[in-house]
């Protein structure tokens, strides 16, 4: 039988890491023998286990070990990380290591070094000259790149339950629409204020429902108050925000009365056409065509916008990226320094962003559909905290909570969402 000795340490019992490890071993057809175990007796005291993993063949053992490493298991053999050279551009060598979004280290020359720019489902490239390890997506690897293969010399810091009962601990229970939303939103607001005050970046990922529900004005206020440093979205969010600013409608529905405007079904196309005529969103602000809305505020306050399009887009609006690899590149670049992510009513862009975020980024997913809220955690974004509610309710209460935190007056006005109708 093939075998390997591993170690697990930390809060591996109350975080269910150890039982999950045993399940993986047995579910994959392996067996284990515990050689040493130490159970922490206090909340601040970690636990430790050393055990031998056995399997009928090397292939099964490799599968078990690769999954256990995602829980933070470390091989005892102490070998350096193994690598292989890329021989074809955009093609990884056989047996390449696929990352998680958890903090990861590799052993190089007998020393552990951090893997830079960690995200899930990418390769690790080694730069021996500068003693660096960093992530690269498959399509970006070049001939000669030294890519990590196998499972030796890799150490992953497992995701553990928070020791204190704070918002990103108790929000990660089973998703329910009956949770105490206002209390959660107040905690989120407090975390946002702390992040902003220490100079951290906050990312907002927005779907068109933000505009449809009349909540765009709240995002505009958050931008003015300095709570938004990056915005991700698609063609729809920018199109309907501009439509609201120019015509007072979203998908042809009057945002003041909630009634369908005659001929309003083409207002989003008129909005795209108007911006295309002047050349860009920035130019529209410069010439005075665009005078309100969350996009207006983002441009005015120099908040980076990464707008990734899709096959269904009309237009598209100038500034929307139609090359998906370029969109990913710009998203990765914009994510540097982000400490908190708020994703509102945007399933596809939320999942795409979750795939790029390290697990250390506090992430809040808000949607009226519980399936959307749980999907990120199902896809490996362990840090995602879910809130099932309407986009307008969430953003309205979030702004109110932030006003209370700062003891500031209401300066929402008519910006971005409930706009006057222009002729």
């Amino acid at each position: 039988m093939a075998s390997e000795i591993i170690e697990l340490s930390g809060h591996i019992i109350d975080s269910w890491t150890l039982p999950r490890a045993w399940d993986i071993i047995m579910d994959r057809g392996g067996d284990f023998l515990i050689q040493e175990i130490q159970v922490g007796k206090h909340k601040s005291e970690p636990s430790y286990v050393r055990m031998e993993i056995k399997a009928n063949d090397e292939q099964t053992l490799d599968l078990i070990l690769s999954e256990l490493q995602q829980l933070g298991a470390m091989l005892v053999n102490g070998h350096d990380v193994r690598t292989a050279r890329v021989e074809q551009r955009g093609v990884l060598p056989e047996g390449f290591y696929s990352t998680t979004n958890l903090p990861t280290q590799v052993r190089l020359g007998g020393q552990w070094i951090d893997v830079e720019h960690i995200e899930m489902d990418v390769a690790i490239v080694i730069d021996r000259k500068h003693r660096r390890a960093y992530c690269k997506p498959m399509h970006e690897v070049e001939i000669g790149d030294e890519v990590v293969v196998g499972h030796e010399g890799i150490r992953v810091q497992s995701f553990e339950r928070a020791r204190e009962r704070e918002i990103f601990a108790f929000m990660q229970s089973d998703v329910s629409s009956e949770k105490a939303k206002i209390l959660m939103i107040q905690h989120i607001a407090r975390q946002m204020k702390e992040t902003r005050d220490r100079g951290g970046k906050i990312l907002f990922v927005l779907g068109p429902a933000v505009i449809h529900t009349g909540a765009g004005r709240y995002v505009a206020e958050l931008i003015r108050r300095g709570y938004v440093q990056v915005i991700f979205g698609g063609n729809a969010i920018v199109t309907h925000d501009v439509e609201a600013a120019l015509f007072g409608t979203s998908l042809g529905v009057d945002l003041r009365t909630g009634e369908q405007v005659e001929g309003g079904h083409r207002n989003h196309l008129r909005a795209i056409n108007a911006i295309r005529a002047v050349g860009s969103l920035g130019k529209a602000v410069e010439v005075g065509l665009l005078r309100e809305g969350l996009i207006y505020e983002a441009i005015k306050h120099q908040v980076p916008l990464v707008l990734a399009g899709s096959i269904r887009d009309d237009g598209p609006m100038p500034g929307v990226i139609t090359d998906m690899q370029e969109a990913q590149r710009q998203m990765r670049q914009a994510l540097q320094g982000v400490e908190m992510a708020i994703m509102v009513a945007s399933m596809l862009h939320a999942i795409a962003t979750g795939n790029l975020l390290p697990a250390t980024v506090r992430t809040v997913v808000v949607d009226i559909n519980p399936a959307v809220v749980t999907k990120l955690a199902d896809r490996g974004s362990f840090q995602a905290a879910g809130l099932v509610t309407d986009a307008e309710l969430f953003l309205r209460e979030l702004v109110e909570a932030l006003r209370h935190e700062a003891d500031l007056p209401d300066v929402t006005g008519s910006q971005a969402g409930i706009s006057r109708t222009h002729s």
Side-chain angles (χ1 to χ4, degrees):
M1 296 183 73
S3 67
E4 190 69 72
I5 298 174
I6 67 161
E7 293 177 325
L8 280 166
S9 62
H11 300 295
I12 58 176
I13 296 177
D14 56 359
S15 293
W16 294 95
T17 300
L18 186 56
R20 286 164 61 198
W22 290 335
D23 282 343
I24 288 171
I25 296 167
M26 292 183 288
D27 290 345
R28 298 293 178 264
D31 196 4
F32 63 91
L33 174 64
I34 294 178
Q35 296 182 340
E36 181 182 352
I37 186 167
Q38 299 171 9
V39 179
K41 298 178 181 179
H42 306 285
K43 283 187 175 183
S44 59
E45 186 178 350
S47 300
Y48 168 84
V49 65
R50 174 189 174 108
M51 56 185 174
E52 182 181 10
I53 313 299
K54 299 180 180 180
N56 289 328
D57 52 67
E58 291 287 349
Q59 186 176 1
T60 303
L61 181 63
D62 285 346
L63 175 62
I64 293 171
L65 292 174
S66 65
E67 293 193 40
L68 290 179
Q69 281 181 320
Q70 297 182 29
L71 299 180
M74 188 173 66
L75 275 64
V76 175
N77 57 33
H79 294 164
D80 272 5
V81 69
R82 293 193 296 116
T83 61
R85 297 283 181 181
V86 172
E87 297 181 356
Q88 182 179 347
R89 184 180 181 184
V91 179
L92 295 170
E94 190 71 22
F96 66 90
Y97 175 79
S98 179
T99 61
T100 70
N101 64 349
L102 297 166
T104 302
Q105 294 181 316
V106 294
R107 187 181 172 101
L108 193 62
Q111 295 182 331
W112 291 101
I113 62 173
D114 293 332
V115 177
E116 302 169 18
H117 310 309
I118 192 68
E119 63 179 82
M120 69 176 72
D121 299 333
V122 292
I124 298 175
V125 176
I126 301 297
D127 179 352
R128 293 185 184 274
K129 180 179 179 181
H130 299 97
R131 294 192 59 76
R132 291 179 60 218
Y134 57 93
C135 290
K136 255 193 181 184
M138 181 186 298
H139 65 268
E140 289 187 5
V141 298
E142 300 285 348
I143 294 175
D145 279 349
E146 194 174 351
V147 171
V148 171
V149 296
H151 50 256
E152 294 180 82
I154 301 169
R155 184 162 66 185
V156 179
Q157 181 181 326
S158 62
F159 186 82
E160 298 178 340
R161 180 175 65 83
R163 302 304 301 166
E164 301 298 331
R165 187 169 177 79
E166 50 103 47
I167 187 65
F168 289 89
F170 73 76
M171 282 180 70
Q172 286 163 343
S173 61
D174 291 338
V175 170
S176 170
S177 60
E178 298 181 358
K179 286 186 175 182
K181 298 181 182 65
I182 302 303
L183 177 61
M184 294 180 185
I185 293 170
Q186 289 171 350
H187 279 280
I188 294 167
R190 193 168 300 118
Q191 184 65 50
M192 288 176 63
K193 186 175 185 302
E194 291 173 3
T195 301
R196 186 199 64 173
D197 291 350
R198 66 171 173 264
K201 292 168 63 176
I202 302 173
L203 161 71
F204 271 73
V205 183
L206 302 171
V210 170
I211 307 302
H212 301 334
T213 59
R217 55 181 173 160
Y218 301 120
V219 179
E221 178 170 350
L222 291 171
I223 295 171
R224 288 193 293 274
R225 295 209 188 280
Y227 286 107
V228 184
Q229 282 70 50
V230 185
I231 294 176
F232 287 175
N235 190 63
I237 180 69
V238 61
T239 295
H240 295 300
D241 180 67
V242 173
E243 178 191 348
L246 298 184
F247 310 113
T249 64
S250 181
L251 274 180
V253 175
D254 191 304
L255 288 171
R256 287 190 179 275
T257 66
E259 297 178 356
Q260 185 75 38
V261 174
E262 185 176 353
H265 65 280
R266 67 188 185 96
N267 279 358
H268 72 288
L269 294 175
R270 294 172 64 196
I272 296 171
N273 200 51
I275 303 300
R276 292 176 73 90
V278 297
S280 69
L281 292 164
K283 190 68 174 179
V285 172
E286 181 183 332
V287 302
L289 174 64
L290 195 58
R291 291 177 288 173
E292 59 186 16
L294 70 87
I295 299 300
Y296 167 83
E297 295 292 347
I299 292 171
K300 182 179 176 181
H301 291 86
Q302 299 181 327
V303 174
L305 291 159
V306 182
L307 304 169
S310 70
I311 192 66
R312 65 187 180 185
D313 290 342
D314 292 320
M317 182 72 76
V320 173
I321 306 166
T322 56
D323 182 327
M324 291 303 99
Q325 291 184 0
E326 175 61 19
Q328 289 181 9
R329 187 192 68 78
Q330 291 194 28
M331 289 169 72
R332 287 187 174 97
Q333 186 176 34
L335 286 173
Q336 300 306 310
V338 167
E339 296 183 10
M340 191 171 183
I342 313 292
M343 306 177 179
V344 186
S346 179
M347 180 175 71
L348 295 180
H349 287 86
I351 292 172
T353 305
N355 289 345
L356 303 178
L357 287 175
T360 51
V361 175
R362 293 173 181 265
T363 304
V364 179
V365 187
V366 180
D367 203 285
I368 199 67
N369 184 352
V372 174
V373 175
T374 58
K375 197 174 287 290
L376 258 78
D378 292 342
R379 288 171 174 260
S381 296
F382 307 104
Q383 79 279 18
L387 189 58
V388 180
T389 189
D390 174 73
E392 193 273 345
L393 182 148
F394 170 77
L395 289 167
R396 169 164 43 89
E397 293 298 334
L398 181 63
V399 168
E400 185 61 35
L402 287 167
R403 288 178 193 149
H404 178 74
E405 285 287 325
D407 194 24
L408 291 172
D410 180 353
V411 296
T412 301
S414 62
Q415 300 290 336
I418 301 180
S419 166
R420 64 184 180 276
T421 303
H422 297 274
S423 59

